[in-house]
Amino acid sequence: MQLPVVSVGYLAAGRLAQRLRVHSRFRHALNFMAADGHLLTLLDACRYPNLPDAVRLQLPHGWDWREMTGAIDGLEKAVIWQPERALAQTGEQPAHHAALAEALQKQPVESTLMLLPGGDSTKRQPLLSAQSSAQALTAQVAQLIGFGKGLTPDGDDYLLGYLAALWRWQDTPRIAGHFRLMREIITGQLNRTNDISAHYLGRAAHGHFSEPVCDLMMLLTQQASNGQIQTAARNVMQFGASSGADCLAGMLHGIRTIQTAL
């Protein structure tokens, strides 16, 4: 069977010839798992943006991966998506926190987390700081990873967003140690969540994110208009009932961490 391929993620491109087994099927996505434990995903290009480990296809109306049989051919014949992944330059600081917070406040979402300071105190509040000890951060990650609703739980999406914000500043002296510690702690607790969420968190720990997250990361140090920031924030928040909003909240927390440290 051959379906029109729209784009292939830069990590997926070199892995299409590997031996893969079906991991999970959903209506709009099909996950394969390689021998190294990483996923490779086939996605409906009309519904999903580029992901590092995904192949986006133009699917017929009413397509359902749960009912698909047979092999898919021609996956290697597509444009490779490769985002800009530049680290922050000396003296650069993240901006647009207020505009992003405003976008998040406007988004109706039912998360199990307190997404912004001063929010619903009955929900779990992430407490992450560059000044926190390794012991405190380990306890915090344990409280978040695997916690909440959805295929990728709220706490996992929040941690992914937090890593995304810190990633560009990972070589900045006042951030570097905290980033390395968070990466070590999170990757050490991936067994506390499901395979799919663990895959995305593991990729995030090494700087691999979806196209909307990459686009927003690069805007953080640019002179972007409020409209551009709002659009980029909405693109991040478009996933799932709460996943995108959880991710944006984690990014906002990461921005606060950077601003406080610098």
Side-chain angles (χ1 to χ4, degrees):
M1 182 186 305
Q2 193 157 16
L3 296 166
V5 183
V6 176
S7 59
V8 175
Y10 61 99
L11 294 180
R15 302 171 63 231
L16 292 174
Q18 292 181 2
R19 193 175 189 86
L20 305 169
R21 65 176 177 83
V22 174
H23 174 274
S24 51
R25 298 173 184 265
F26 303 92
R27 181 176 179 183
H28 302 292
L30 172 61
N31 289 310
F32 292 96
M33 181 170 280
D36 60 8
H38 287 300
L39 298 178
L40 188 146
T41 307
L42 306 186
L43 295 172
D44 182 351
C46 292
R47 300 179 63 90
Y48 293 98
N50 285 301
L51 300 174
D53 289 285
V55 179
R56 297 169 64 242
L57 301 129
Q58 184 178 327
L59 301 179
H61 178 73
W63 182 270
D64 190 330
W65 286 111
R66 295 168 297 185
E67 300 173 1
M68 188 274 293
T69 58
I72 303 294
D73 301 318
L75 297 181
E76 70 283 355
K77 300 174 183 178
V79 173
I80 296 176
W81 170 69
Q82 176 74 59
E84 183 178 356
R85 301 176 68 239
L87 298 181
Q89 300 298 305
T90 301
E92 281 189 326
Q93 294 198 22
H96 311 300
H97 182 278
L100 291 173
E102 179 185 355
L104 181 57
Q105 288 173 329
K106 291 179 179 177
Q107 180 79 359
V109 60
E110 283 298 326
S111 176
T112 55
L113 301 175
M114 181 192 291
L115 298 185
L116 289 169
D120 187 346
S121 60
T122 65
K123 296 183 177 182
R124 186 163 298 184
Q125 180 180 6
L127 299 172
L128 304 168
S129 167
Q131 288 72 46
S132 298
S133 66
Q135 182 179 9
L137 290 174
T138 300
Q140 270 296 297
V141 171
Q143 289 288 308
L144 291 171
I145 199 162
F147 174 77
K149 302 175 296 183
L151 182 60
T152 54
D154 295 317
D156 295 8
D157 293 320
Y158 193 98
L159 289 170
L160 187 150
Y162 189 77
L163 288 173
L166 297 183
W167 188 83
R168 291 194 61 205
W169 281 266
Q170 64 179 279
D171 288 343
T172 303
R174 295 183 180 180
I175 299 297
H178 178 59
F179 176 80
R180 287 195 298 269
L181 188 56
M182 284 298 298
R183 180 168 62 185
E184 179 182 337
I185 293 169
I186 290 171
T187 55
Q189 297 194 36
L190 293 179
N191 62 342
R192 300 172 63 93
T193 190
N194 64 67
D195 289 344
I196 294 175
S197 198
H199 167 80
Y200 288 121
L201 268 177
R203 287 306 202 197
H206 292 91
H208 304 296
F209 304 95
S210 69
E211 184 175 17
V213 171
C214 289
D215 289 346
L216 182 52
M217 286 166 60
M218 299 309 298
L219 277 179
L220 291 180
T221 54
Q222 297 178 13
Q223 292 184 338
S225 68
N226 186 71
Q228 288 175 299
I229 296 299
Q230 296 277 332
T231 297
R234 285 194 297 271
N235 288 341
V236 170
M237 292 190 291
Q238 68 180 326
F239 299 106
S242 62
S243 289
D246 289 323
C247 178
L248 182 61
M251 293 185 76
L252 281 163
H253 194 149
I255 292 171
R256 294 194 299 272
T257 295
I258 296 166
Q259 289 174 334
T260 300
L262 299 181

